[in-house]
Amino acid sequence: MSRVSASVTEDEANMQLSDNAINDLNLLAAWLAPDELTAEAALRPELMILAGHAVLPAIFGALTLAQSGNIPVLFSGGTGHSTLLLRQAMRNNRLTAHLNTQDLSEAQLLVKIALEVFHLSEEQLTVEVNSANCGENAAFSADLLIKTHSVPAQCLLVQDPLMQRRTGETFAFAWSQRGLNTHFINWPVFVPRLVSVAGKTVITGAQLPGIWEPERYVSMILGEMKRLNNDENGYGPAGAGFIGAVAIPPDIRAAWERLRADDGLSTPAR
């Protein structure tokens, strides 16, 4: 699957970062977006879980695979941080602009895309509409599948690429707490990368436009690293306890520390 074409927005064209910052952000993004989908794993996953987020290219990529492979999909997402962003992204995309997004949860919005754009069958879909964060995505999805006696042995897990590692850790932790041994295959659909084009910094990796605003992109990377760090401010056992302890490789930690100390880290020009 090709994941190399770039899309450039007006805001991205104003984004200016140093070469060192670009290199460090790319290192962190690649680590935050682990891609474990091999040709063998893609043959017939028992289930795909698509957690609610607002990165339409990732959503479209996941549903394309579900459509071509007739893969059952569980959509998880109530109303949370990404709901308004997802509605806005849908309004701005020609494939989804006609869909009614008013008063719908993230999972319900994803179902609309699945049914009306990708023509998946209703029998293919399971919907969880109460979760408001990643921890609840994991917990409520597990509880729903336990209730319906349909817990898979192997599951393809899709989330906003920058949230993929934390989502995988959260699902593994929450499901193990319930005595479930499901093997999760992380699939961010694409791995984002920053490049400098004609002196401007742009986000590449997606086949379609509609990814992140640059300021949000940088903020998300730094925020995800903070959440994965096992200290009092993180989500690990030394902090909130939502995930297990995550081993952050030395080169990843060093890149994060450099970015945190970089007073010149730019935000999009206004």
Side-chain angles (χ1 to χ4, degrees):
M1 302 176 186
S2 173
R3 297 192 283 264
V4 297
S5 58
S7 56
V8 182
T9 69
E10 182 178 350
D11 281 340
E12 286 169 342
N14 291 326
M15 183 179 176
Q16 297 179 2
L17 296 168
S18 70
D19 289 343
N20 288 337
I22 288 173
N23 290 336
D24 284 340
L25 286 165
N26 285 340
L27 191 64
L28 296 186
W31 186 72
L32 290 171
D35 187 347
E36 299 168 347
L37 183 62
T38 63
E40 181 179 352
L43 289 178
R44 188 63 173 90
E46 296 174 56
L47 178 69
M48 174 190 293
I49 294 181
L50 179 53
H53 62 276
V55 183
L56 279 187
I59 294 166
F60 286 2
L63 294 176
T64 297
L65 181 63
Q67 177 192 56
S68 61
N70 194 31
I71 302 168
V73 184
L74 188 159
F75 298 101
S76 176
T79 300
H81 298 301
S82 296
T83 310
L84 291 178
L85 293 172
L86 177 56
R87 290 174 184 161
Q88 180 180 357
M90 290 174 65
R91 287 195 297 269
N92 293 340
N93 187 281
R94 63 180 181 82
L95 296 177
T96 55
H98 66 287
L99 300 177
N100 176 29
T101 63
Q102 187 175 359
D103 299 328
L104 296 181
S105 70
E106 292 171 18
Q108 290 169 327
L109 292 169
L110 297 178
V111 167
K112 273 192 168 291
I113 298 173
L115 293 175
E116 300 189 37
V117 178
F118 289 87
H119 307 295
L120 273 65
S121 67
E122 291 188 8
E123 293 75 19
Q124 212 172 328
L125 312 181
T126 303
V127 188
E128 182 282 300
V129 297
N130 296 311
S131 56
N133 55 55
C134 188
E136 291 182 352
N137 286 150
F140 296 172
S141 295
D143 294 343
L144 177 59
L145 293 171
I146 290 171
K147 184 177 180 179
T148 57
H149 305 287
S150 53
V151 177
Q154 179 172 275
C155 179
L156 192 59
L157 185 60
V158 181
Q159 173 60 288
D160 178 318
L162 296 179
M163 294 176 59
Q164 185 67 55
R165 183 171 293 276
R166 178 163 61 90
T167 298
E169 295 286 347
T170 303
F171 270 76
F173 181 80
W175 288 40
S176 67
Q177 296 296 300
R178 289 161 169 74
L180 305 178
N181 297 314
T182 297
H183 171 63
F184 291 103
I185 302 165
N186 284 296
W187 188 42
V189 182
F190 70 94
V191 178
R193 184 174 178 81
L194 294 173
V195 297
S196 183
V197 179
K200 305 298 182 182
T201 306
V202 299
I203 304 170
T204 71
Q207 293 175 312
L208 298 169
I211 40 180
W212 304 266
E213 296 296 335
E215 187 175 34
R216 176 174 169 79
Y217 180 80
V218 174
S219 176
M220 280 191 65
I221 288 178
L222 297 179
E224 285 300 300
M225 292 304 303
K226 180 179 178 181
R227 294 178 186 96
L228 288 166
N229 195 44
N230 188 27
D231 63 11
E232 67 276 9
N233 298 312
Y235 286 3
F242 298 148
I243 60 177
V246 178
I248 300 178
D251 61 331
I252 300 299
R253 183 173 293 278
W256 177 39
E257 294 294 345
R258 286 192 295 269
L259 290 167
R260 293 174 68 192
D262 185 359
D263 293 333
L265 188 64
S266 300
T267 56
R270 295 297 180 186

